Amino acid sequence: MKRLLLILVILAVAMADGAAQKRKVQNRPYVDLRPMHFGISIGMNMQDVKMKNVGPQLVALPDVGEQERTVYCDADTWNPGFSVGVVGDLRLNQYLSLRVTPSMHFGSKRLVFRDMDNLSENGTPRETTQDMKNTYVSVPVDVKFAAERFNNYRPYMLAGVSPMLNLSGKDQDYSHLKPFDVMLEVGMGCDLYLPFFKLIPELKFCYGLTNAYDSSHASELRDVNQRVFTNAVGSARSSMFVFTLYFE
């Protein structure tokens, strides 16, 4: 029975592959010959941040004096957000192009602080959460390598760097990220040639190359009891998945 199922799957794949190899009428056959073209984009993002904790720290608290405290911080989930932008594509040759995609990414990161010296009734560390909202302005510069076009689709891969400006303002939350970061990004997508425009679904991963944690924020907190949470983190690197639909 298993062998029969395997044979049927192989036959189905072979038939689908054979059908896919048939040539069809191409939509917009000369669109990729333009030296430059533009478009718009919408999409969604999933943000995360990797915290490096410092471990035990000595803190001086009013009416208590100096004591050792241990607080651990982590982003426990990927949070969804919204992205919008524009795209400019410069043709280099038949397979390569240079792409600039200025975008805005609206989202947040959920941080969980676990106070190891403050236990609940069942003996587990008490948790404090922070919803770190972020609004990024990014200007990615990518090299796009596309395969040969077949019928009305053309897969591609890309890689590049993306300077990021964080527009989130200062407040009295436990943690903040620096206003500037640089991310390395890699991704893949496919040009879909429709009768009147190109639709391009794309998925890419972005990873921060710099320490994005704002350690100086502790000195700006009015409540000195909160500083132990801010100082619990030594460094942080942001990361993000972005799924985008381009219309060109």
Side-chain angles (χ1 to χ4, degrees), residues 129-142:
T129 61
Q130 176 190 338
D131 188 21
M132 181 188 291
K133 297 186 182 298
N134 300 120
T135 300
Y136 288 108
V137 176
S138 67
V139 187
V141 180
D142 300 309

Side-chain angles (χ1 to χ4, degrees), residues 153-221:
Y153 63 88
R154 190 181 190 189
Y156 67 86
M157 300 180 67
L158 62 86
V161 294
S162 176
M164 310 280 287
L165 180 63
N166 186 2
L167 301 181
S168 302
K170 293 283 188 177
D171 53 33
Q172 291 297 303
D173 282 335
Y174 298 114
S175 297
H176 274 284
L177 298 181
K178 294 177 182 177
F180 183 76
D181 197 1
V182 178
M183 288 190 172
L184 174 69
E185 53 182 40
V186 294
M188 61 178 59
C190 187
D191 293 349
L192 304 178
Y193 298 83
L194 303 182
F196 301 105
F197 63 90
K198 278 203 304 182
L199 175 64
I200 308 173
E202 176 187 281
L203 178 65
K204 65 182 177 182
F205 175 68
C206 310
Y207 183 76
L209 299 177
T210 66
N211 175 17
Y213 195 70
D214 186 3
S215 300
S216 64
H217 178 62
S219 61
E220 302 172 359
L221 294 174

Side-chain angles (χ1 to χ4, degrees), residues 15 21 31 35 45 47 68-69 75 83-84 87 96-97 105 110 113 121 129 142 173 205 228 240 242:
M15 292 175 61
Q21 297 303 315
V31 66
N45 63 75
Q47 296 189 22
E68 185 177 275
R69 294 284 302 278
S83 301
V84 62
V87 56
L96 292 176
S97 62
H105 305 286
R110 184 177 183 271
F113 298 86
E121 292 77 8
T129 61
D142 300 309
D173 282 335
F205 175 68
V228 64
M240 181 165 54
V242 185

Side-chain angles (χ1 to χ4, degrees), residues 35-53:
M36 181 175 288
H37 54 272
F38 303 92
I40 60 174
S41 68
I42 59 172
M44 64 172 296
N45 63 75
M46 302 286 286
Q47 296 189 22
D48 189 28
V49 61
K50 182 66 175 179
M51 299 292 193
K52 184 177 181 180
N53 293 280

Side-chain angles (χ1 to χ4, degrees), residues 26-126:
Q26 289 190 351
N27 296 321
R28 303 171 59 80
Y30 306 110
V31 66
D32 290 333
L33 298 180
R34 294 180 298 177
M36 181 175 288
H37 54 272
F38 303 92
I40 60 174
S41 68
I42 59 172
M44 64 172 296
N45 63 75
M46 302 286 286
Q47 296 189 22
D48 189 28
V49 61
K50 182 66 175 179
M51 299 292 193
K52 184 177 181 180
N53 293 280
V54 301
Q57 53 180 309
L58 288 176
V59 297
L61 300 175
D63 304 324
V64 177
E66 192 174 78
Q67 62 177 240
E68 185 177 275
R69 294 284 302 278
T70 304
V71 175
Y72 291 113
C73 177
D74 187 26
D76 65 342
T77 184
W78 288 82
N79 281 355
F82 176 73
S83 301
V84 62
V86 295
V87 56
D89 191 290
L90 175 64
R91 185 178 188 270
L92 301 179
N93 58 38
Q94 182 179 355
Y95 301 104
L96 292 176
S97 62
L98 184 66
R99 214 169 58 155
V100 181
T101 55
S103 307
M104 292 190 71
H105 305 286
F106 305 91
S108 64
K109 303 174 178 67
R110 184 177 183 271
L111 305 183
V112 178
F113 298 86
R114 295 179 177 87
D115 192 344
M116 308 306 293
D117 302 302
N118 185 7
L119 305 182
S120 63
E121 292 77 8
N122 57 8
T124 58
R126 295 188 184 275

